[in-house]
Amino acid sequence: MPDAALPKALHHISPPPTTANLDYANLAIIDLAKYNSPEGRAELVKEVREALSTVGFFYVINHGYTQEQTRRIFDIADIPFSQVSTEDKQKYVAAMKTDGSYQGYKPRQYWHIDAGVRDQLEDYNISLDVTKKQHPVELRPFLPEISEFAKHNHFNVLFPLLRLLALGLELPEETFVKQHDFNAPTETTIAFIKYYPRTEEDEVKTKNVWLKGHTDTGSITLLWSQPVAALQIMTPEKEWKWVRHIENALVVNTGDALEFLSGGFYKGTIHRVVQPPPDQRGLTRLGVFYFALTNDDVKLVPAMESPVLQKVDIVRRCDDSVAPMMEVWRKGRISTYGQSILQPQDQRGVQEELINGLVVRHYN
């Protein structure tokens, strides 16, 4: 679509990155420019396998979007929050409890965080089929661009990564790709999320935690890097480390589904959101995400045909005979997240809940 034909959007002005001296995680940088040569792909297989079998997070660069295209997506991402009235937002609230789906708005203060404090995150989530549900009038002119953005994430970033992951397990390279059919029933989502500042009282009550430590429900999460520092990951040494902003890079992590499918070889890494450093407090934080889940009908069991998994001690969350389908797992997690009563935390700050008979942990 020529630039002249694009509908006008108010420009979202991103703040400068923090200058605070933060304890950053040392994450691998995966250069997808190497993907198209046999030698480069072989290198990437090793790099991605190492990153996801240890830390569970890495960056992606040279993903096919220019800085200008990325800025345009952030302009569009702000529309559901800054251009839609509070009254109209209520018409498009997601049926999280009843349908186990995030499609539409997740309002602020929907999730309980801790000590009676509720969240200050507002989400707008869009299906791969952007026509599946109605959207606010203000967003409708931008749906063709959002659809193209979804396809870019899926075919130009997600699929190459899934092929690398399959090769890392010595599986046929289309193994995981077949489980992520763009046109199949799935909860794979384009998510725009806006984080709003909180009161000092809420910060004290929650010890500055905005979202407790958790793993993602799906297989792969693509976060389009933005400059407001708040994301932290738990390292294998059980330490919280900040994730540094890299301009026009993606921050990638694995979730529950891929951990199930790989028998724990690719770890769903625990991460959380905390109050930004002092020079960024009072700012809103706009996030653009691609939450990839398998097809709804995929049974979440280890790929035991993998020669790699046959040689290691795999970790099953449950017996294969009772392993959930993706649809059941994601509906269970979405419908209860931030709503259920968690078991009292232990000395490590870990709280638990049962979803479909399986333990899900939250780290505070």
Side-chain angles (χ1 to χ4, degrees):
M1 185 183 294
D3 287 350
L6 296 177
K8 291 185 178 179
L10 292 177
H11 181 51
H12 171 73
I13 300 175
S14 296
T18 181
T19 59
N21 183 23
L22 303 179
D23 188 9
Y24 287 111
N26 182 24
L27 303 181
I29 299 177
I30 303 302
D31 185 355
L32 279 187
K34 299 193 293 187
Y35 180 78
N36 292 321
S37 74
E39 299 81 9
R41 186 181 290 206
E43 289 179 21
L44 291 179
V45 168
K46 294 178 182 177
E47 292 171 6
V48 170
R49 173 176 156 159
E50 173 66 18
L52 291 191
S53 62
T54 53
V55 180
F57 267 74
F58 58 82
Y59 296 102
V60 163
I61 60 172
N62 291 319
H63 44 69
Y65 253 42
T66 65
Q67 182 65 64
E68 183 179 356
Q69 288 174 302
T70 301
R71 289 195 189 104
R72 171 73 176 177
I73 287 299
F74 275 86
D75 293 346
I76 294 171
D78 198 38
I79 292 171
F81 312 117
S82 63
Q83 302 298 309
V84 181
S85 70
T86 301
E87 181 181 0
D88 282 347
K89 288 177 182 179
Q90 294 302 312
K91 301 174 185 176
Y92 304 98
V93 172
M96 290 165 282
K97 280 188 178 180
T98 56
D99 295 352
S101 172
Y102 279 130
Q103 304 304 318
Y105 281 102
K106 193 289 295 176
R108 292 163 70 176
Q109 300 192 22
Y110 179 77
W111 294 325
H112 175 252
I113 304 302
D114 199 21
V117 176
R118 306 194 76 81
D119 75 280
Q120 291 296 342
L121 282 68
E122 188 175 23
D123 301 14
Y124 192 74
N125 303 282
I126 305 171
S127 171
L128 295 182
D129 178 1
V130 299
T131 66
K132 186 176 180 180
K133 291 200 172 185
Q134 285 291 312
H135 302 279
V137 172
E138 295 82 355
L139 194 62
R140 292 174 193 172
F142 303 92
L143 291 178
E145 289 178 83
I146 296 172
S147 180
E148 289 303 312
F149 180 65
K151 291 173 183 175
H152 176 76
N153 279 271
H154 204 88
F155 295 109
N156 299 335
V157 184
L158 175 66
F159 273 12
L161 294 179
L162 290 175
R163 291 185 180 110
L164 296 172
L165 290 168
L167 292 171
L169 293 179
E170 299 177 19
L171 291 166
E173 69 174 9
E174 298 298 304
T175 300
F176 295 137
V177 166
K178 291 176 182 177
Q179 296 172 329
H180 293 77
D181 185 343
F182 188 85
N183 297 307
T186 179
E187 184 69 9
T188 294
T189 298
I190 307 128
F192 303 144
I193 304 179
K194 199 163 190 178
Y195 303 71
Y196 297 86
R198 305 190 310 183
T199 66
E200 184 59 31
E201 181 182 1
D202 282 357
E203 296 292 358
V204 171
K205 286 182 177 179
T206 61
K207 300 178 183 176
N208 307 117
V209 173
W210 287 15
L211 272 184
K212 290 179 185 177
H214 63 281
T215 56
D216 290 341
T217 303
S219 47
I220 297 282
T221 298
L222 308 178
L223 163 63
W224 290 72
S225 189
Q226 55 74 51
V228 180
L231 176 62
Q232 294 183 335
I233 69 169
M234 184 181 284
T235 67
E237 294 75 34
K238 308 300 181 186
E239 297 175 328
W240 291 110
K241 301 273 189 179
W242 295 79
V243 174
R244 186 191 303 273
H245 168 58
I246 297 180
E247 195 71 15
N248 202 32
L250 305 181
V251 180
V252 179
N253 67 276
T254 49
D256 293 343
L258 196 62
E259 183 169 323
F260 276 118
L261 295 172
S262 69
F265 190 84
Y266 295 134
K267 304 180 186 307
T269 297
I270 301 156
H271 54 285
R272 68 180 183 179
V273 180
V274 298
Q275 184 185 34
D279 62 346
Q280 292 185 322
R281 285 177 193 167
L283 300 175
T284 56
R285 179 177 184 261
L286 182 63
V288 173
F289 298 78
Y290 192 76
F291 290 110
L293 283 72
T294 69
N295 309 339
D296 275 350
D297 64 359
V298 170
K299 190 175 179 66
L300 299 176
V301 295
M304 288 312 300
E305 65 273 28
S306 160
V308 173
L309 296 189
Q310 292 171 15
K311 298 173 186 174
V312 299
D313 293 328
I314 68 167
V315 179
R316 283 181 167 87
R317 298 277 291 272
C318 61
D319 190 270
D320 288 357
S321 63
V322 295
M325 306 293 275
M326 183 75 253
E327 180 181 19
V328 172
W329 182 249
R330 57 98 169 166
K331 284 184 174 181
R333 287 214 60 183
I334 293 171
S335 62
T336 61
Y337 186 82
Q339 304 293 305
S340 57
I341 303 299
L342 302 179
Q343 295 297 320
Q345 65 184 41
D346 63 18
Q347 292 179 349
R348 299 167 299 159
V350 180
Q351 297 171 304
E352 296 182 347
E353 64 178 327
L354 280 179
I355 296 178
N356 303 122
L358 301 177
V359 174
V360 174
R361 293 183 174 89
H362 304 262
Y363 297 78
N364 199 8

